[in-house]
Amino acid sequence: AAIEKGQSITRLGLAEGALNKGGVIVDSGTTDTYLNRAVEDEFKRVWKEITGQDFHNDEVRLKARQLEALPTIIIQLEGTDDNEDYDPDTTPGLAKNVDRKRPYDVILAIPPSHYMEQVKAGNVYASRLYVNEGGGSVLGANTMMGHDIVFDMDNSRIGFAESDCDYNRVTGFDSTGASNGKPFLPFADFASGTGEGACSSFFCRTFVLAGVAFLVVQAFWAWKYLTPRRMPVPVTDADEDEDDGGRSGEGVDYSDTELVSTVPPVV
């Protein structure tokens, strides 16, 4: 999240208490990101100052260069004392280049390619960053993209590191499907009776086929006799917005958060 020559930071004029109102949770099960409504007016003011356009979540048609020119949203998280073991000048993700007074805080950068979703063909996009959440804030999957994230439950903390999202490297899998030196057994080899652990006997194959046939029959009868019904979604709090959908839950204040914007975007 280094700020390069020609780039600038525009901070939201909000206290930390407003940013963290209702608590902040990190939830990979929530696709989008929702900020509490205390930030709405100031966020929209800064957005228009930067882009010249009103911020909204409606569909908009954007060319590639227009998408790339949108601001990158930066979230600053309070770091732990352990971060002082690292050099803030050379460690990616630490905040020194953004906030010299708090060099060991952690920076999350959300580029427009993460918070703008293409919803239709023909370069039609919609923002999946919402700034009017009725409860606390939810940093969803589009904020988490581009990071390795560790949930340290024992110490009640979360770790973020910029990532190339190389699943094979992180997990130890390679392109041939091997893990820790032991190859996977492809289904074709299993069914044909070749390879270690294959189902090769007549009894084994008969049992497998009978099991598959049983599942097919059960699925057919379930499809024929079960009629899906539309059930109302229960609302636990009448004061919440209709579109809340229970996203906020009980906010857990994992971090103190400061939101800023950069132009042009940091990738």
Side-chain angles (χ1 to χ4, degrees), residues 20 118 215 219 225 232:
N20 294 307
Q118 185 172 359
L215 291 176
Y225 285 102

Side-chain angles (χ1 to χ4, degrees), residues 173-193:
F173 290 88
D174 62 29
S175 59
T176 64
S179 175
N180 300 322
K182 185 176 181 178
F184 287 113
L185 183 63
F187 178 78
D189 289 344
F190 181 86
S192 65

Side-chain angles (χ1 to χ4, degrees), residues 2 83 86-97 100 103-104:
N83 288 355
Y86 301 93
D87 184 353
D89 288 315
T90 59
T91 304
L94 291 183
K96 185 176 181 180
N97 289 326
R100 292 188 174 275
Y104 297 104

Side-chain angles (χ1 to χ4, degrees), residues 5-145:
K5 184 177 181 180
Q7 296 179 330
S8 62
I9 295 272
T10 303
R11 298 178 180 273
L12 299 186
L14 294 170
E16 289 186 9
L19 294 168
N20 294 307
K21 183 178 180 181
V24 179
I25 65 173
V26 179
D27 181 16
S28 61
T30 300
T31 304
D32 305 330
T33 291
Y34 303 84
L35 304 181
N36 80 78
R37 60 173 56 140
V39 312
E40 182 175 9
D41 291 343
E42 177 66 2
F43 184 94
K44 289 183 175 180
R45 182 192 69 80
V46 170
W47 179 275
K48 188 164 187 176
E49 178 183 309
I50 294 172
T51 67
Q53 304 293 327
D54 291 329
F55 179 84
H56 55 77
N57 297 99
D58 299 331
E59 295 178 359
V60 60
R61 193 178 301 276
L62 295 171
K63 297 179 180 179
R65 59 179 177 79
Q66 293 174 314
L67 177 65
E68 294 171 359
L70 292 176
T72 289
I73 311 301
I74 290 181
I75 299 179
Q76 183 170 341
L77 308 175
E78 182 179 2
T80 67
D81 294 339
D82 292 342
N83 288 355
E84 297 181 11
D85 296 336
Y86 301 93
D87 184 353
D89 288 315
T90 59
T91 304
L94 291 183
K96 185 176 181 180
N97 289 326
V98 174
D99 186 349
R100 292 188 174 275
K101 294 181 180 180
R102 301 179 64 93
Y104 297 104
D105 282 357
V106 175
I107 294 297
L108 299 182
I110 316 173
S113 59
H114 289 185
Y115 66 79
M116 295 296 293
E117 179 185 1
Q118 185 172 359
V119 294
K120 292 180 181 178
N123 298 323
V124 178
Y125 294 85
S127 172
R128 297 311 185 195
L129 172 72
Y130 300 87
V131 293
N132 57 353
E133 183 69 5
S137 297
V138 182
L139 306 182
N142 59 352
T143 291
M144 302 169 73
M145 290 171 61

